[in-house]
Amino acid sequence: VDALVKNDQPDSAFDLVQEVKQDPVCRDTLNTVIYSTILKGFTLSRQPERVDQVYQEMRDLGIACNTISFNTMIDANCRTGRMDHAEQLFADLEASGSPDVVTYSTMVKGYCMSGDIDKGFQVLRKMLAGGQHEPDEILYNSLLDGCARQHRVDQALELAASMGRVRPSNYTLSILVKLLG
């Protein structure tokens, strides 16, 4: 499965899993790692509908998703502008586990890419309210870039001032220069 995915053949990898699923001797070898590999393949090939199909199959078979699986699926949906699907996956992850910094950063970036920076800020507030994770540079950069795209200079400056221990990179500084320039 991994070899097929690494060679840009996620459909063939999925077909192989379907064959294994039909074989009573091999069926028990199917697990979260194998399905996560297929999810990654469909994500990289920008096939969010297939990601949804794999997720449904995992649920039907009782194969648990881990945070990495959820992050992969959320990323697939965010990259293709399907924020409603990403939101549902985020809710499913919250119900079955706990989101990590990557999850929050992916959601923020998805909202910012789709032009809904206010929802991006809501995700940041939710993350901070949970008290388990601190935003990283990637999350801040996504929000700063979203502010820049929407000419929200004051909000960007407030955000930059709130970065605390997160050290701004050259990219972060370039966004701020673009905003102020």
Side-chain angles (χ1 to χ4, degrees):
V1 170
D2 188 50
L4 289 167
V5 167
K6 285 183 177 175
N7 285 287
D8 299 322
Q9 297 181 42
D11 291 302
S12 296
F14 186 74
D15 292 343
L16 176 59
V17 166
Q18 298 312 301
E19 288 178 33
V20 170
K21 191 170 75 171
Q22 300 306 317
D23 184 339
V25 175
C26 298
R27 182 179 312 142
D28 292 338
T29 62
L30 297 177
N31 59 29
T32 303
V33 174
I34 290 171
Y35 276 96
S36 291
T37 303
I38 295 171
L39 289 170
K40 178 182 171 187
F42 286 135
T43 296
L44 293 173
S45 63
R46 294 189 176 266
Q47 296 184 61
E49 304 81 17
R50 297 300 303 263
V51 168
D52 294 343
Q53 180 184 0
V54 172
Y55 179 48
Q56 187 58 52
E57 183 167 310
M58 290 175 75
R59 292 173 71 166
D60 291 346
L61 295 173
I63 295 175
C65 286
N66 58 24
T67 303
I68 294 169
S69 302
F70 275 110
N71 286 345
T72 301
M73 293 185 291
I74 290 169
D75 183 54
N77 284 284
C78 287
R79 286 179 185 265
T80 55
R82 295 166 33 123
M83 292 309 297
D84 55 332
H85 290 265
E87 289 170 351
Q88 182 58 55
L89 288 163
F90 185 88
D92 291 352
L93 172 56
E94 286 183 308
S96 68
S98 68
D100 62 12
V101 174
V102 173
T103 315
Y104 287 108
S105 292
T106 303
M107 290 298 293
V108 167
K109 186 172 186 173
Y111 283 126
C112 290
M113 286 173 40
S114 70
D116 197 345
I117 193 167
D118 293 324
K119 281 195 176 177
F121 275 103
Q122 285 177 4
V123 171
L124 172 62
R125 286 190 292 277
K126 182 176 192 167
M127 177 183 180
L128 293 171
Q132 292 184 325
H133 304 289
E134 288 293 318
D136 62 4
E137 179 194 342
I138 295 168
L139 189 146
Y140 281 120
N141 284 347
S142 294
L143 283 170
L144 288 169
D145 189 54
C147 286
R149 291 174 191 255
Q150 294 186 11
H151 309 290
R152 295 186 182 193
V153 177
D154 292 340
Q155 204 168 9
L157 293 175
E158 285 176 31
L159 182 63
S162 73
M163 287 177 66
R165 296 182 306 201
V166 176
R167 186 176 178 156
S169 67
N170 287 338
Y171 181 73
T172 309
L173 297 173
S174 72
I175 295 170
L176 292 170
V177 167
K178 183 170 53 172
L179 266 166
L180 298 172

